Amino acid sequence: MRAIKILGFFFLISFAGFGQINWQPTLAEAFKQAKVENKLVLVECFHPQCSHCISLNQNLDDPEIQRVLNEKYINYRIDISNRIQYQELKDRNISLIQWPVFLVFNKEDSLTNYVEPTELLASLKLQLANVEFSSDLKCDRVGIEEPNIDLLSKCGVYYRMTQNIEKNNEMANYLYFWLNQENIGSEKSWMVYKKSVSSSDNLLAQFWLQNLSLATQYEKSENVVKEIMAAQLQTKMISLYKSDKLTPQDVVTLKEELTKIGADETKILSFTWNLELITLIKSGDFKNAKILCNKVVNQFPTPGAFITVFRLINDQMNTSELNSFFEENIEVLTQKAVKNQELSKELLLQSARFYSKANNLKACRESLQKAAELGFNQQQEFEEKYCR
């Protein structure tokens, strides 16, 4: 009897994983196993409160789908609501624009494809059986000689997810060319645009910025259209901020585009002040730079806003022309931030940098000492960099 029980135990162990997708415990383990088995890594991204995601996960209980996923891929899943898991995508510079979605990586940890899974079980089986699902998108080969709007749109989404704005704009220009052959003002064009395009620096975006009423007709909501446009202008703002070729005209153009979508003065200021301040500092126009700084902190009178302005000044210049703005605000700001340890610490660090520019090395060291008392553990490193 005991022997039968032991055999039964091993029988259960042997089939414990039968009929289930072999989800890896971590993404790192998935890539490790992919190299061993020479397979692609499939990452299911879902949100527990998303109805489409719930339907998908029910379909993943299908034995045929489980067999295909286990045979063809090393599998891992990311709960978008789990900040630690989602960080695994952010670490790879991937930003999801919708879910559920299957991301396909090669064993070298590069995203090569993605699939937006359907809710219908039969359609999902066809998707997973499609050999194209496993292949590289080859977006670098798609362009003016490839009149495939669906593929161009998919590549646009791919570059949007991987935050490659330059390539996304390139795909958007190709889309504009081919959509213009059909009907650039069609509902299909709008749907392709809002899904595939991440910035406004392309012909397709410029067309829809000029035709907001037509977009509203298709979307049936002016606010939704404005939100879509605002998100793309924000992406443009981030791209300009990172660029070493930022010009005053770029700032003017961005303001004009924000005005087109009905942004008020406060919204325009929040989108453009950092870009404008950089151009003023680069041109040596410190008088107007100070005026702009005061305008920002008057409009957004919080310690966080002050510190953000302080940090940008410190990052952009090594001279003391804007020290007066710092000196006029530091005392009151210190009192406001004292209740928040992290804000106080950051304020002290930025203060040390300002004192360094003014060659007030004693005040620089004192600020870093106070920051150390709040938990800053790089005091010596910062002293050597700024206070000597």
Side-chain angles (χ1 to χ4, degrees):
M1 179 63 70
R2 184 178 178 184
I4 292 175
K5 287 182 177 179
I6 292 174
L7 286 173
F9 173 77
F10 278 106
F11 179 84
L12 290 173
I13 290 294
S14 300
F15 287 88
F18 184 76
Q20 297 178 354
I21 297 172
N22 298 326
W23 300 111
Q24 296 298 310
T26 65
L27 191 52
E29 283 294 320
F31 285 118
K32 181 179 179 181
Q33 192 63 28
K35 290 181 180 178
V36 172
E37 299 188 31
N38 193 30
K39 289 183 178 180
L40 298 167
V41 173
L42 180 138
V43 179
E44 181 208 357
C45 302
F46 70 97
H47 194 288
Q49 295 180 351
C50 156
S51 60
H52 296 301
C53 303
I54 293 170
S55 297
L56 171 64
N57 285 328
Q58 289 171 346
N59 287 335
L60 294 184
D61 288 335
D62 181 82
E64 184 179 342
I65 288 178
Q66 293 172 342
R67 178 187 61 78
V68 170
L69 292 184
N70 287 334
E71 284 182 0
K72 294 181 70 174
Y73 307 101
I74 303 300
N75 302 289
Y76 181 65
R77 47 194 337 201
I78 289 179
D79 178 353
I80 303 304
S81 67
N82 185 316
R83 187 171 61 181
I84 296 175
Q85 288 187 348
Y86 191 56
Q87 186 63 41
E88 293 181 307
L89 294 181
K90 294 176 70 174
D91 290 343
R92 290 165 174 77
N93 206 36
I94 295 172
S95 177
L96 298 184
I97 60 175
Q98 61 188 40
W99 46 79
V101 64
F102 288 137
L103 303 180
V104 182
F105 294 83
N106 61 24
K107 59 186 178 181
E108 282 75 36
D109 199 351
S110 295
L111 179 66
T112 61
N113 208 336
Y114 72 92
V115 168
E116 299 162 342
T118 65
E119 286 191 68
L120 295 176
L121 180 59
S123 299
L124 180 60
K125 287 180 180 180
L126 286 175
Q127 276 187 309
L128 295 176
N130 189 344
V131 67
E132 290 301 314
F133 181 38
S134 303
S135 65
D136 190 333
L137 274 174
K138 299 181 175 62
C139 291
D140 57 333
R141 302 180 188 178
V142 177
I144 205 70
E145 297 179 358
E146 180 66 51
N148 187 328
I149 292 174
D150 290 337
L151 183 55
L152 284 167
S153 177
K154 185 165 187 176
C155 287
V157 173
Y158 171 81
Y159 287 126
R160 190 174 177 184
M161 283 197 299
T162 54
Q163 301 184 67
N164 188 332
I165 298 175
E166 182 178 351
K167 295 295 291 185
N168 182 270
N169 283 327
E170 183 180 319
M171 291 299 110
N173 285 331
Y174 290 144
L175 279 166
Y176 175 82
F177 178 83
W178 289 113
L179 286 167
N180 209 27
Q181 307 304 304
E182 296 184 0
N183 180 3
I184 192 64
S186 66
E187 185 172 5
K188 174 185 177 181
S189 172
W190 167 251
M191 294 304 174
V192 167
Y193 163 74
K194 73 173 186 175
K195 181 178 179 179
S196 307
V197 180
S198 61
S199 179
S200 65
D201 280 339
N202 56 77
L203 296 172
L204 190 56
Q206 290 302 313
F207 172 84
W208 286 109
L209 274 169
Q210 299 294 335
N211 292 274
L212 294 177
S213 59
L214 190 57
T216 300
Q217 176 184 323
Y218 296 137
E219 203 62 47
K220 297 180 174 59
S221 171
E222 184 179 9
N223 287 337
V224 170
V225 170
K226 288 181 177 180
E227 287 172 5
I228 292 169
M229 295 295 187
Q232 294 175 341
L233 292 177
Q234 184 176 39
T235 300
K236 177 178 180 176
M237 179 270 289
I238 294 171
S239 177
L240 289 172
Y241 184 76
K242 294 178 180 178
S243 172
D244 57 359
K245 299 177 181 178
L246 175 67
T247 68
Q249 184 56 48
D250 290 327
V251 181
V252 171
T253 300
L254 182 56
K255 286 182 176 181
E256 290 172 349
E257 291 173 345
L258 286 162
T259 301
K260 285 179 183 177
I261 66 170
D264 59 21
E265 186 177 344
T266 300
K267 187 78 168 179
I268 293 174
L269 181 65
S270 70
F271 264 68
T272 63
W273 74 266
N274 53 353
L275 304 177
E276 187 170 2
L277 182 56
I278 290 172
T279 61
L280 291 171
I281 289 174
K282 285 184 175 180
S283 67
D285 188 354
F286 300 113
K287 178 182 177 181
N288 282 315
K290 183 178 177 180
I291 291 172
L292 177 60
C293 289
N294 281 316
K295 184 177 181 180
V296 172
V297 296
N298 286 333
Q299 186 68 53
F300 310 106
T302 64
F306 276 93
I307 292 171
T308 301
V309 175
F310 286 169
R311 188 189 298 117
L312 180 58
I313 294 171
N314 280 326
D315 289 345
Q316 292 295 321
M317 57 192 299
N318 296 314
T319 52
S320 60
E321 284 88 351
L322 288 177
N323 270 25
S324 59
F325 167 73
F326 166 75
E327 291 166 353
E328 289 166 9
N329 292 287
I330 187 60
E331 185 175 345
V332 174
L333 185 55
T334 300
Q335 294 173 359
K336 286 185 178 181
V338 72
K339 294 180 181 179
N340 186 311
Q341 184 169 312
E342 287 303 311
L343 281 178
S344 294
K345 184 169 65 176
E346 181 62 23
L347 177 58
L348 288 164
L349 296 179
Q350 298 307 324
S351 297
R353 296 175 69 184
F354 264 101
Y355 289 130
S356 172
K357 298 179 198 301
N359 205 31
N360 188 344
L361 302 185
K362 179 181 177 182
C364 179
R365 287 189 289 269
E366 288 175 350
S367 293
L368 290 177
Q369 176 59 42
K370 291 177 182 177
E373 293 170 2
L374 294 175
F376 181 62
N377 58 11
Q378 295 176 282
Q379 179 186 1
Q380 184 175 353
E381 178 184 335
F382 267 57
E383 277 195 23
E384 291 177 357
K385 185 173 183 179
Y386 297 113
C387 308
R388 296 185 186 279

